[in-house]
Amino acid sequence: MIHVLSGQIPWSYIPSAVGVLACLVQNYVPLALRQEIAAQDLSFLQQCFSVSPADRPSADQIIAFVREELLYCVDQTPRTAAGVYTSPSRSGIPEVITEFKRRVSDQMPSHLIYIPEMRLISRDELAAILKPEIITEEHISRCGGWSRQSTIESKLVPGMLKYAILSHRWGESEPTFQDLRSRNCEVGGYKKLLEFCMKAKEYSCEFAWSDTCCINKESSSDLDEAIRSMYRWYRDAYICIVHLTQSESSETLGIDEWFIRGWTLQELLAPLRMKFYGPSWTPLTPNENDKDDATFVFALSRVTKIPPNDLCDFLPGPNRAWEKMTWAVNRKTTRVEDLAYSLIGIFDISMTIAYGEGDRAFKRFMAELIQNCKEWQILMWAGGLPSCPTGPDCYRTMNRVAREMLQDRQISWWGEGRGDSYFSVTKRGVQIKLLIVPALVQVNRTPGQSTLLSQPVGPLGSSPLEKLVVQSHSFPPVSTTEWAISIVNYYDHQDADKGKLKQGEYYMCFLLRRFRRPGMDTVRNHWKREVTEEILTVFCASDFEQIVETVWL
């Protein structure tokens, strides 16, 4: 670097190679020739002098630095009296440089395709290509805005960092990170990548990102960052370009496999701008942004069952969790773990990535989601395990009453006065307060079907709930099991320890059971949730109030 920056050979003042070797052994570094090297370059030079290899610049950083030096040395930089090139001050406007570095570090993918040269670049090379230090006060004033800082943060720097992002169904052969590094153009999917980059250029994007070749899957840290940050990368992209392989128009969207893949759900929800293309890269609409076309958005809503407002301006988070989970019930992933990983951006969940853990990934995901969600709807699943659903398909229901109640936005968004909003995940399971009504079971002649009747209560001995018909593969013997119907969305009572039900309303419920053993310790003989084939609802026949119990599911 001394040779690059000053034109002089390092240690030229030491007469013999033995002297240089002695300096290296004693961890001495060559003199920096400060009079010949610009002050702002000395900090980079000091990194090159680091004794620890881990502290020295990477190859990508050095290449980017040298390329930048060359740009400034060609017909731009004055020579010193000795004929040595010196680098002009390139500090730039401090606010611009700070915001540029922040956005590159926090929001940009680790690797991008530089479209003019069709090569892969790292974050470190962006500054050498975009040169934020050449931004002037005139650039800022031309952008306009109500304040200087807001103009830099919301217009100027984001405009510099425009990139297009690809959403597609993987084919049999796709270019990899290593293929793009080695400029291998022979791989089967390279033509699709070129077409994508050509479309990106039409949106004035110099940079592009594709999941097949911009993630170094040989690096666990790179893969982990990509999975955890992918939703944000799609959100921050200037345009998301979708390539469909089976659909030629908005009328045939439902046949395309893109709509049943797990990862493409967040790729549909996250971007603010999207453009859909058919198999031969023909646009499906004449719009620049298909999310601005109401007709096309309604076509997407018809296929995905996602409300148009969510398609156009989706907000990630654990709210409305049950409804969001139903959007993924028909979606599949190649790897078991991706069933959970593809949802973390949608629900804004933070969790470690560990390929190879199998089904445990979805259990960990649900534990995080239940811990962060304050809506009882997330606990309403069928099938799976008593303490955890095994996938989004557990939230599918044919119960019309249940579906209407669970999709009620008023309950989902506010829900005051309904059920326990302080449920949590503990070592014993999901801890929640339920209104429990003892029940009697009548086994029907239909295989796997039973009718539950709530036991009479009150002075008149009336049953507060109508009969509940339950489908289940196997019921424990009635003689050894105690049963109960547990209401989840009961109304609050003026007594904090009680809940109440109102006549003429439906309620969501679980079926609970425990061993019938006189004298058994109640701590060990706790209620367990019975796995049923359908989400359960029960009709209230008369007003009823009762003390709520804490159970662990």
Side-chain angles (χ1 to χ4, degrees):
M1 293 311 303
I2 286 180
H3 204 171
V4 169
L5 296 171
S6 70
Q8 298 190 26
I9 298 174
W11 277 324
S12 57
Y13 48 85
I14 297 181
S16 67
V18 176
V20 173
L21 181 60
C23 291
L24 290 172
V25 170
Q26 298 178 56
N27 292 331
Y28 290 154
V29 297
L31 297 178
L33 303 173
R34 295 180 184 274
Q35 68 276 16
E36 304 293 352
I37 300 176
Q40 65 269 16
D41 292 333
L42 287 176
S43 60
F44 187 83
L45 194 58
Q46 289 299 326
Q47 295 179 48
C48 298
F49 291 161
S50 298
V51 174
S52 171
D55 295 334
R56 297 174 198 153
S58 66
D60 286 342
Q61 289 173 316
I62 291 175
I63 291 171
F65 183 85
V66 172
R67 182 179 289 112
E68 185 180 7
E69 287 299 319
L70 289 173
L71 289 173
Y72 275 89
C73 287
V74 177
D75 297 329
Q76 296 184 34
T77 307
R79 297 172 183 267
T80 63
V84 178
Y85 284 114
T86 59
S87 192
S89 174
R90 300 192 306 280
S91 57
I93 300 172
E95 299 98 315
V96 173
I97 302 300
T98 299
E99 180 63 17
F100 182 89
K101 290 179 178 178
R102 185 188 70 81
R103 284 187 177 266
V104 169
S105 175
D106 296 346
Q107 299 181 7
M108 297 297 286
S110 56
H111 292 88
L112 289 165
I113 301 168
Y114 183 42
I115 297 175
E117 299 178 11
M118 280 305 293
R119 65 182 177 89
L120 208 58
I121 63 169
S122 66
R123 289 191 188 109
D124 299 323
E125 295 176 85
L126 283 172
I129 295 172
L130 295 173
K131 298 185 280 295
E133 67 277 356
I134 67 173
I135 296 296
T136 65
E137 294 291 345
E138 183 181 355
H139 289 110
I140 298 175
S141 61
R142 273 206 306 265
C143 286
W146 64 273
S147 76
R148 171 190 174 88
Q149 191 61 37
S150 68
T151 299
I152 293 171
E153 293 176 357
S154 63
K155 293 185 179 181
L156 190 60
V157 174
M160 298 172 64
L161 296 173
K162 284 173 55 175
Y163 65 94
I165 200 163
L166 176 64
S167 179
H168 64 127
R169 176 75 178 103
W170 285 26
E172 293 182 0
S173 177
E174 297 285 352
T176 65
F177 182 87
Q178 287 70 28
D179 288 330
L180 225 60
R181 275 291 194 208
S182 61
R183 303 294 185 93
N184 178 15
C185 306
E186 304 301 320
V187 65
Y190 194 79
K191 182 180 179 181
K192 177 171 66 174
L193 185 67
L194 277 176
E195 290 283 358
F196 158 59
C197 289
M198 292 302 100
K199 298 303 180 186
K201 285 179 66 176
E202 294 177 11
Y203 285 87
S204 303
C205 292
E206 282 191 293
F207 306 100
W209 189 91
S210 172
D211 54 358
T212 60
C213 56
C214 293
I215 304 173
N216 184 5
K217 299 176 181 66
E218 295 179 358
S219 167
S220 58
S221 60
D222 202 32
L223 183 60
D224 183 86
E225 182 195 12
I227 291 174
R228 288 186 289 105
S229 304
M230 203 172 296
Y231 179 92
R232 189 175 72 248
W233 293 347
Y234 274 88
R235 185 69 169 190
D236 292 336
Y238 179 76
I239 185 75
C240 175
I241 292 174
V242 181
H243 181 241
L244 303 179
T245 58
Q246 297 160 294
S247 180
E248 296 278 6
S249 68
S250 59
E251 288 76 22
T252 58
L253 290 176
I255 69 172
D256 206 285
E257 194 176 3
W258 187 87
F259 289 95
I260 62 170
R261 302 306 301 175
W263 284 105
T264 55
L265 177 58
Q266 72 170 359
E267 294 167 15
L268 171 65
L269 293 170
L272 296 175
R273 298 182 186 87
M274 297 188 78
K275 186 63 191 169
F276 285 78
Y277 292 88
S280 57
W281 288 94
T282 303
L284 268 59
T285 75
N287 311 298
E288 286 193 1
N289 178 11
D290 287 334
K291 286 195 173 184
D292 286 340
D293 186 331
T295 302
F296 190 78
V297 170
F298 276 103
L300 289 174
S301 179
R302 184 186 66 251
V303 172
T304 62
K305 311 305 181 196
I306 301 173
N309 288 343
D310 288 304
L311 289 171
C312 294
D313 191 15
F314 176 75
L315 295 176
N319 62 311
R320 294 168 52 210
W322 188 91
E323 182 183 5
K324 292 175 183 177
M325 197 67 77
T326 62
W327 302 342
V329 294
N330 295 318
R331 293 181 178 263
K332 307 296 180 185
T333 57
T334 303
R335 301 191 65 162
V336 176
E337 298 89 343
D338 285 336
L339 199 62
Y341 300 157
S342 62
L343 295 173
I344 60 179
I346 295 172
F347 291 95
D348 197 19
I349 295 298
S350 178
M351 60 181 286
T352 56
I353 308 303
Y355 276 106
E357 64 177 331
D359 294 336
R360 187 170 178 270
F362 198 81
K363 294 179 183 178
R364 289 197 301 115
F365 166 76
M366 284 305 304
E368 288 291 332
L369 178 56
I370 291 172
Q371 192 70 26
N372 287 277
C373 183
K374 298 303 179 184
E375 301 165 354
W376 51 263
Q377 288 93 329
I378 192 59
L379 303 177
M380 304 308 302
W381 68 80
L385 301 173
S387 60
C388 181
T390 52
D393 58 326
C394 291
Y395 290 91
R396 180 188 286 112
T397 178
M398 299 301 292
N399 185 334
R400 181 184 59 82
V401 175
R403 186 167 58 250
E404 291 177 356
M405 196 180 305
L406 290 164
Q407 289 179 339
D408 187 339
R409 294 291 183 88
Q410 185 172 351
I411 294 177
S412 297
W413 287 354
W414 296 288
E416 292 90 345
R418 300 297 295 269
D420 180 11
S421 61
Y422 296 101
F423 56 85
S424 61
V425 179
T426 70
K427 288 184 178 180
R428 293 181 63 180
V430 178
Q431 177 180 304
I432 184 173
K433 291 182 178 179
L434 301 172
L435 193 154
I436 296 177
V437 182
L440 301 172
V441 175
Q442 297 177 348
V443 180
N444 298 345
R445 293 181 179 179
T446 305
Q449 180 174 297
S450 294
T451 299
L452 285 90
L453 301 174
S454 60
Q455 294 183 6
V457 295
L460 299 179
S462 60
S463 298
L465 306 176
E466 290 195 351
K467 67 179 181 180
L468 176 64
V469 179
V470 178
Q471 302 284 344
S472 184
H473 292 296
S474 61
F475 273 86
V478 176
S479 59
T480 61
T481 308
E482 184 179 353
W483 295 91
I485 300 171
S486 59
I487 307 298
V488 181
N489 57 330
Y490 54 85
Y491 285 94
D492 284 353
H493 193 279
Q494 59 185 7
D495 183 345
D497 294 329
K498 289 185 176 182
K500 60 183 179 181
L501 308 181
K502 297 180 181 180
Q503 181 181 3
E505 293 189 8
Y506 278 95
Y507 292 89
M508 309 298 304
C509 63
F510 302 143
L511 187 58
L512 301 181
R513 63 180 174 87
R514 64 184 178 188
F515 290 115
R516 181 178 293 170
R517 292 182 183 177
M520 176 177 253
D521 184 356
T522 55
V523 174
R524 294 183 179 276
N525 189 25
H526 58 270
W527 290 109
K528 294 184 179 180
R529 182 177 181 174
E530 179 72 10
V531 176
T532 57
E533 297 177 9
E534 181 57 270
I535 295 174
L536 303 179
T537 58
V538 65
F539 186 76
C540 181
S542 60
D543 289 348
F544 180 66
E545 60 182 51
Q546 185 164 295
I547 294 176
V548 294
E549 296 184 38
T550 298
V551 300
W552 291 265
L553 304 176

